[in-house]
Amino acid sequence: MRSARLLIFTLTALGFSLGGVKADFNFSDFTQWSPVADPPNGNFSSAASTSMATLSAADAAIPAGVDIGFQSVDGPTVAQSSRGFKFDPQSDFSLAIDYSFSFSNNPVGLLGIGFGIGEDGTGQNSAGVALATLNGSPYLFFGGAARVNDNEQLLPLLPLTAATTQGTLFVSYQASSGNVQVGASGITNANAPQTSGVFAAIQNQWQGEDLLASFFLRSESQNGLPAWQGGGTADAVFSNFRILSGNAIAVPEPSGMLAVGLAMVMAFTRRPRRSYASRTAAATNLL
């Protein structure tokens, strides 16, 4: 009877544990995304609520190549993470997020935002859509950015739609080809991009690991144009993250937790078998 009670208790605790994993998994709650900085800079800051995440640049110079953002897992890669959500590279999926970019006073320099997928938090194997601003105004068109083993790929401009300070960013992944399609719309809450481009078979050049999602704010310099110099402040507000197709997977996966839980059940309920002689002696003592 003691073993039966212990088994029931352990299974009940396991059920609460698995339920907690599922309840904790909410990809649309930005407080459950993890803040990241590459490298950290005191003139960048971030804040998150359940409905939105804000990335801000202060009225001060920030070197080129410095960014701040949020990602869907809490470690440098999915395999090294203990919470969040991921995507299986063997399955298709499509993502979207709304953004609003605003500035104060008279800012100077290039500042951009991006939204993408990849295998690591530093973007060594990644692809996404980007929007650049110059002196507080959208700069040319939306564009794409990608890396393979930390080597930058061509940055295609996405024609037909001029960059805007608010709208929707898109990323889609096709498992059969390894294609990553990036796109954008000048309309918030859009379900399809107005303009898009494809990084053909780029995931085939990565390591084949699980994929995370991220969005960021970045100071950059290009074609002789300066990085963010200040002169004003900037706020990039992201909201309404949604999965248009495919499925997100909780980290850690409930199936993994189940295996651990069953091992615990076996460990707690397994008792060493006593010899015939010891059982006989025990029975004799009860007489």
Side-chain angles (χ1 to χ4, degrees):
M1 290 298 294
R2 179 177 180 275
S3 295
R5 291 196 299 270
L6 181 58
L7 177 60
I8 293 171
F9 172 80
T10 307
L11 289 174
T12 302
L14 174 61
F16 280 123
S17 174
L18 290 177
V21 170
K22 293 178 181 177
D24 186 55
F25 169 48
N26 182 1
F27 56 76
S28 62
D29 180 352
F30 288 102
T31 65
Q32 296 190 27
W33 291 62
S34 296
V36 290
D38 184 27
N41 185 287
N43 293 321
F44 270 148
S45 60
S46 64
S49 69
T50 56
S51 61
M52 67 181 65
T54 302
L55 302 173
S56 302
D59 182 3
I62 300 174
V66 174
D67 56 47
I68 189 171
F70 286 88
Q71 64 181 35
S72 64
V73 294
D74 65 352
T77 66
V78 171
Q80 295 172 281
S81 298
S82 60
R83 69 183 304 273
F85 64 93
K86 66 177 183 178
F87 296 92
D88 182 355
Q90 301 302 314
S91 301
D92 296 354
F93 60 89
S94 181
L95 315 175
I97 195 168
D98 292 347
Y99 72 92
S100 178
F101 216 170
S102 61
F103 300 84
S104 70
N105 300 326
N106 299 295
V108 175
L110 281 169
L111 193 65
I113 60 172
F115 173 56
I117 60 171
E119 295 183 338
D120 54 274
T122 58
Q124 295 185 35
N125 288 303
S126 61
V129 59
L131 156 67
T133 63
L134 177 62
N135 303 337
S137 297
Y139 183 59
L140 301 176
F141 302 101
F142 293 99
R147 290 182 182 178
V148 174
N149 297 324
D150 212 24
N151 294 315
E152 291 189 7
Q153 307 301 294
L154 295 176
L155 309 179
L157 291 176
L158 309 183
L160 304 179
T161 302
T164 58
T165 55
Q166 63 180 17
T168 306
L169 303 177
F170 297 86
V171 178
S172 296
Y173 170 73
Q174 186 179 60
S176 61
S177 64
N179 289 355
V180 176
Q181 177 178 299
V182 300
S185 170
I187 302 170
T188 56
N189 199 32
N191 289 322
Q194 295 174 319
T195 182
S196 64
V198 176
F199 289 101
I202 190 169
Q203 189 270 341
N204 297 337
Q205 303 175 64
W206 297 349
Q207 304 302 313
E209 299 177 3
D210 289 327
L211 301 171
L212 57 86
S214 66
F215 54 89
F216 58 87
L217 176 67
R218 180 180 178 90
S219 176
E220 194 56 88
S221 60
Q222 294 180 3
N223 303 322
L225 299 173
W228 178 256
Q229 301 297 303
T233 61
D235 294 303
V237 178
F238 294 84
S239 61
N240 193 25
F241 174 80
R242 51 208 184 271
I243 299 175
L244 301 177
S245 63
N247 297 288
I249 303 170
V251 175
E253 294 185 54
S255 59
M257 293 296 294
L258 179 60
V260 173
L262 291 177
M264 291 172 58
V265 170
M266 295 297 293
F268 279 120
T269 58
R270 184 185 296 116
R271 293 188 302 169
R273 295 181 61 85
R274 294 184 296 171
S275 67
Y276 174 80
S278 63
R279 294 198 303 271
T280 302
T284 302
N285 290 335
L286 293 176
L287 296 178

